[in-house]
Amino acid sequence: MPQFKFTAIDENGKRTEGRQSAENGEALTQLLRKRGLIPVKFEPTINGIFGGLEFHRTKRLKDADLVLFMRNLSTYSDAALPLDKALTMLAGIKGNSTVSDLAKRILSHVNDGGTLSGGLVAEGSLFQPQYVALIQAGEAGGKMKSVLSDVADQMEDVLVLRQKLANALQYPVLVFIVAMATIVILMSVVLPQFAPIFEEA
């Protein structure tokens, strides 16, 4: 039976980490909930001849792709589309296979009787725990439309902030690189030419 490394929170919001054997991600979620824990992240581990090394599925989705996924899901929810229909439409997106594949995986999870939040958790660390927790609260309170919109807004704000920081750091990084290149040239080219003069003096 596969073993998962998980991170969860209890009813008081205390963070807990550990390992648990389960048939799949949905079974793991149910086991943790029986213990009064809400999973926010889990990843499968493989133990064997490599001495317990952990192998994690590589995520190639960019932040912009995640924002696109959540914004479109929010838009479809506002249009009163059922979750499975909304995910089906996202899975049919052309020109962005990463978002389409993500929607297909979550749609498969939902069709198997799982929840949207459970599908997000099954993606490991792809979605931030606070977003998953908000969606879980929306599912419990029947306010998915407003919650999905809030999550999409928050993700967009974070993306914009990261882009601004990246742009702001471009000039200092460029100046630093030029300064280091100048120092290297001085130390390796210019100063050696003055060495004979210093020796004679």
Side-chain angles (χ1 to χ4, degrees), residues 167-186:
N167 292 335
L169 289 174
Q170 285 181 357
Y171 180 72
V173 169
L174 179 61
V175 171
F176 176 77
I177 292 174
V178 172
M180 292 301 297
T182 302
I183 292 173
V184 170
I185 292 174
L186 287 173

Side-chain angles (χ1 to χ4, degrees), residues 31-57:
L31 289 173
L32 293 177
R33 287 179 176 174
K34 288 180 180 179
R35 293 165 52 185
L37 298 175
I38 300 175
V40 295
K41 180 178 70 173
F42 63 82
E43 296 171 326
T45 64
I46 301 177
N47 297 319
I49 60 174
F50 298 102
L53 286 176
E54 296 181 3
F55 296 85
H56 307 295
R57 181 173 53 188

Side-chain angles (χ1 to χ4, degrees), residues 7 10 54 67 79-80 116 122-123 133 152 155 169 179:
T7 301
D10 59 19
E54 296 181 3
V67 171
L116 174 60
E123 292 298 314
M155 292 177 68
L169 289 174

